[in-house]
Amino acid sequence: MDIERTFVYIKPDGVRRKLIGEVISRFEKKGLNLVALKMIKLTREKAEELYKEHVGRDFYEPLIKFITSGPVVMMVLEGPRAVEAVRQVVGSTDAVKAFPGSIRGDFALSVRENVVHASDSVESAEREMKIFFNDDEIIQY
């Protein structure tokens, strides 16, 4: 089975609500390996690079303002079909539609303030990881 890497970050609402340990624990319980981790405060420039495909949409500016409003926890997870596995653990982007037992289903009520961001494809994961992590910051074990 092919091992994939994917990118996830805990948004400012998740950090403020002290859900960091809970979120990481759910990924580890799923069987994913945490291979990179850091807490930062996103700059506007990095936020714009991450969400460049949404420029011009009505939710873009409020999204940028929100994700730069406080610290976030960036991580890279690794495992078989990691992108799909993480998306299952995270739940639907629309938190009200997310199933109970998923992170968003248990902890969120909003589309924007929904605790975590998770890459939606292997290609997105590669692009997003490179924005925040150098190759030597991702541990192989």
Side-chain angles (χ1 to χ4, degrees), residues 20-92:
I20 297 167
E22 175 71 29
V23 169
I24 292 172
S25 175
R26 288 184 182 214
F27 294 130
E28 289 182 322
K29 286 176 183 171
K30 183 71 174 175
L32 297 160
N33 290 329
L34 181 62
V35 295
L37 179 71
K38 66 171 82 170
M39 178 183 270
I40 65 170
K41 186 155 186 317
L42 272 174
T43 63
R44 182 172 179 93
E45 293 74 30
K46 290 284 189 183
E48 288 174 347
E49 188 175 353
L50 180 62
Y51 288 108
K52 66 183 180 182
E53 70 272 12
H54 299 305
V55 171
R57 294 189 170 159
D58 61 341
F59 62 85
Y60 180 75
E61 280 304 321
L63 173 63
I64 298 299
K65 183 177 179 181
F66 166 61
I67 66 165
T68 58
S69 69
V72 296
V73 175
M74 303 287 182
M75 66 188 88
V76 176
L77 297 164
E78 183 179 79
R81 297 170 55 195
V83 172
E84 187 179 355
V86 164
R87 300 288 291 182
Q88 180 190 48
V89 171
V90 166
S92 174

Side-chain angles (χ1 to χ4, degrees), residues 103-123:
I103 292 168
R104 291 174 178 154
D106 289 350
F107 300 113
L109 288 171
S110 166
V111 171
R112 183 175 305 121
E113 295 190 26
N114 60 9
V115 185
V116 291
H117 163 91
S119 298
D120 61 3
S121 67
V122 172
E123 296 75 25

